[in-house]
Amino acid sequence: MTPKKPPTPPERVRVGRRTVEISRPDKVLFPADGITKADLADYYRTVAQRMLPHLRGRPLMLERHPDGIDGPAFMQKDVPDHFPDWVHRAELPKENGTVTYLICDDTATLLHLANQACTTPHRFLSKADQPDHPDRLVFDLDPPGEEFSLVRDAALALHGLLDELGLPSLLMTTGSRGLHVVVALDRRTPFEDVRAFARDVVDVLAARQPDRFTTEARKKARHGRLYLDIGRNAYAQTAVAPYAVRARPGAPVAAPLAWSDLDDPDLTARRWTLSTIDGLLADDPWRNPPRPRSLRRARALLREETP
């Protein structure tokens, strides 16, 4: 009888004033790629400086895969009691109660999440101090099939329309199927009004190219057109965080892009992966982000064109 292999001792990682323990560091989370929990933690430590500005102060929903991405997974909102006291939390209302969300403000918390087999943190579009007033507006563009060129075209058309409205925008891959177009807001407008504005934007875009884009939520009614999805713009809804790893073979990453990247015919939602981390960090296309904007002028301009 083959003797049972003893468990690998935990790794202890010193991060600032904290020491984070990575238990079972050799546990494989991505079986097809041999990527372990230690590899995931090492990645998040490497990208922390870039990633944390997009997480600080925001409630998170945690996508956890304790048995690897081929095993059962779950989405976690409430912070477990066993999480360290130094992990920041925010208690926010929900229907008939509250939820205590995790806030990732530092590298130690990010590594603790990796140790919990949290492959992917999904972030609120608002911060915990003003949860009803988003500072991000997100348009979600997924291909209707496998052809990605329509996603690139939709992102480019949306970028042009937002520029017409005086709203600079940022572009990122989701690491899954499509792209996100992100607008920074000044937090003066509540979610309800932001969502209504987003609806008017996609209505205009769909009216301009009705044979290519649609706002029809029913898949049967889309007829091969790309759905302009604004559904993430609501209280307690989330979007994948920049630099987050997705639970897919190859460990693709949700990555910031430059608008010029749309010129690349080989661009896909899974352009960057854990294995191409050096290339991902070689440049920062979001290093000079636009200042947060009010929607007041943009809404006035949009009313002139809303069908």
Side-chain angles (χ1 to χ4, degrees):
M1 183 175 179
T2 304
K4 189 174 182 180
K5 184 180 178 181
T8 305
E11 289 185 5
R12 289 177 173 82
V13 183
R14 184 71 179 175
V15 185
R17 295 176 298 148
R18 311 286 183 196
T19 297
V20 180
E21 183 174 284
I22 307 298
S23 60
R24 301 183 64 189
D26 60 347
K27 182 175 180 60
V28 176
L29 297 181
F30 292 77
D33 308 283
I35 295 172
T36 65
K37 188 194 289 188
D39 295 328
L40 183 69
D42 184 61
Y43 166 78
Y44 277 126
R45 187 179 189 185
T46 300
V47 301
Q49 185 176 1
R50 291 271 186 94
M51 188 175 187
L52 285 171
H54 306 294
L55 299 179
R56 288 192 181 101
R58 297 180 187 279
L60 299 182
M61 184 165 62
L62 312 178
E63 181 181 341
R64 295 178 59 185
H65 296 262
D67 296 315
I69 66 169
D70 292 345
F74 62 98
M75 304 296 285
Q76 187 165 52
K77 295 181 180 180
D78 269 302
V79 179
D81 292 338
H82 63 80
F83 272 36
D85 292 343
W86 48 261
V87 170
H88 295 171
R89 298 157 167 83
E91 185 175 357
L92 298 178
K94 68 171 183 178
E95 188 175 0
N96 301 321
T98 62
V99 177
T100 301
Y101 291 95
L102 181 139
I103 309 289
C104 184
D105 287 332
D106 53 35
T107 304
T109 302
L110 198 54
L111 293 188
H112 181 73
L113 295 183
N115 183 51
Q116 298 298 314
C118 172
T119 58
T120 316
H122 300 261
R123 64 176 184 165
F124 268 41
L125 303 185
S126 58
K127 293 187 175 181
D129 62 338
Q130 286 187 269
D132 294 313
H133 287 70
D135 68 343
R136 294 290 184 272
L137 187 163
V138 171
F139 298 92
D140 190 5
L141 309 175
D142 285 340
E146 295 303 318
E147 178 55 51
F148 201 76
S149 61
L150 191 56
V151 179
R152 296 200 309 270
D153 292 346
L156 190 61
L158 183 56
H159 178 49
L161 176 54
L162 292 170
D163 275 354
E164 292 174 33
L165 300 175
L167 294 175
S169 53
L170 298 170
L171 181 69
M172 62 178 280
T173 69
T174 64
S176 179
R177 298 191 64 240
L179 300 174
H180 281 175
V181 175
V182 183
V183 177
L185 303 178
D186 63 3
R187 304 211 293 174
R188 295 182 181 178
T189 308
F191 264 115
E192 183 179 358
D193 294 341
V194 170
R195 187 183 180 93
F197 172 79
R199 167 60 62 188
D200 290 341
V201 169
V202 295
D203 282 344
V204 167
L205 198 60
R208 287 183 176 182
Q209 300 189 50
D211 58 329
R212 309 186 77 205
F213 309 137
T214 182
T215 59
E216 179 56 66
R218 295 172 301 153
K219 289 185 178 180
K220 289 183 178 179
R222 296 177 191 170
H223 306 299
R225 295 172 295 174
L226 184 142
Y227 176 50
L228 302 167
D229 189 355
I230 62 163
R232 300 184 185 279
N233 299 286
Y235 174 77
Q237 294 297 308
T238 61
V240 64
Y243 297 100
V245 179
R246 305 310 301 268
R248 287 175 167 263
V253 173
L257 297 176
W259 282 105
S260 59
D261 288 322
L262 291 177
D263 297 333
D264 182 357
D266 296 324
L267 175 68
T268 71
R270 298 186 287 277
R271 172 177 179 174
W272 297 109
T273 69
L274 246 64
S275 65
T276 56
I277 176 65
D278 290 342
L280 175 63
L281 296 179
D283 188 26
D284 181 4
W286 289 12
R287 62 185 173 276
N288 296 310
R291 64 174 176 82
R293 302 300 173 103
S294 165
L295 289 182
R296 181 180 299 178
R297 180 173 178 271
R299 282 186 290 193
L301 292 172
L302 195 59
R303 278 194 292 268
E304 300 175 3
E305 192 172 349
T306 302

